[in-house]
Amino acid sequence: MKVLLVLLLGLAFVLADHDHDHHHHHEPYVVKTHDDLVTYRTFCADKVHAGEELVEKYKKWQYPDDAVTHCYLECIFQKFGFYEPEHGFDVHKIHVQLAGSGAQVNHSDETHQKIAHCAETHSKEGDSCSKAYHAGMCFMNANLQLVQHSVQV
């Protein structure tokens, strides 16, 4: 479930900068696993100095609207390869991650459009951490079931 949330957040972040996604999607994307997520969580919690209480919330897919959490999610999305501060989100990579390894992705379908909408809606909000957080929360709120399903593998 946590991996799905991370994937969903990543998808939202990719959408946050849809204008730039054409710079990214030509690179092959390797779908990340639950083990990858666990590794990224530990790395990012240490990087942003998240306290034990926050880390426990993250494990339950709870992401408070605070500066530490904003940068934690930005870090997670960067580790997944969904987000770069200079370019924003890569909607295509988020969609591929949500679809899962070996799945065919239709970049004109509803899921892709939801991801792109969240990315575009939040692409100009504050700093890089805030953009990543708000776009990620947008996508998770719109597609939580899909996100949760994608990381149960």
Side-chain angles (χ1 to χ4, degrees):
M1 182 163 171
K2 294 174 187 174
V3 173
L4 290 174
L5 182 60
V6 170
L7 294 176
L8 191 52
L9 287 174
L11 182 57
F13 284 111
V14 168
L15 293 175
D17 197 4
H18 182 67
D19 293 339
H20 299 287
D21 68 65
H22 60 277
H23 295 294
H24 305 279
H25 72 270
H26 297 294
E27 305 165 17
Y29 179 76
V30 177
V31 173
K32 306 304 185 283
T33 66
H34 180 73
D35 289 343
D36 292 326
L37 174 62
V38 171
T39 300
Y40 300 160
R41 281 186 170 165
T42 301
F43 174 87
C44 292
D46 288 345
K47 180 180 178 184
V48 302
H49 307 291
E52 195 174 313
E53 186 177 319
L54 275 177
V55 171
E56 287 306 310
K57 287 183 179 183
Y58 302 159
K59 290 178 181 177
K60 297 175 186 170
W61 294 78
Q62 298 171 359
Y63 300 97
D65 189 354
D66 62 57
V68 171
T69 302
H70 292 186
C71 290
Y72 170 81
L73 286 178
E74 179 199 41
C75 178
I76 292 287
F77 294 141
Q78 287 181 294
K79 297 300 272 181
F80 266 87
F82 295 156
Y83 182 76
E84 295 176 17
E86 318 82 59
H87 301 293
F89 286 96
D90 186 324
V91 177
H92 297 275
K93 288 180 181 177
I94 291 172
H95 197 173
V96 170
Q97 176 70 45
L98 288 175
S101 187
Q104 292 296 317
V105 175
N106 177 352
H107 292 299
S108 63
D109 71 8
E110 183 182 0
T111 299
H112 193 85
Q113 297 311 311
K114 284 181 182 180
I115 298 167
H117 171 76
C118 288
E120 291 169 9
T121 303
H122 300 284
S123 65
K124 308 219 180 337
E125 291 186 14
D127 62 20
S128 182
C129 293
S130 294
K131 289 177 189 176
Y133 173 84
H134 290 291
M137 294 307 290
C138 171
F139 187 73
M140 282 192 279
N141 290 335
N143 300 281
L144 187 57
Q145 288 181 333
L146 180 59
V147 171
Q148 290 171 341
H149 177 262
S150 73
V151 289
Q152 289 175 353
V153 180

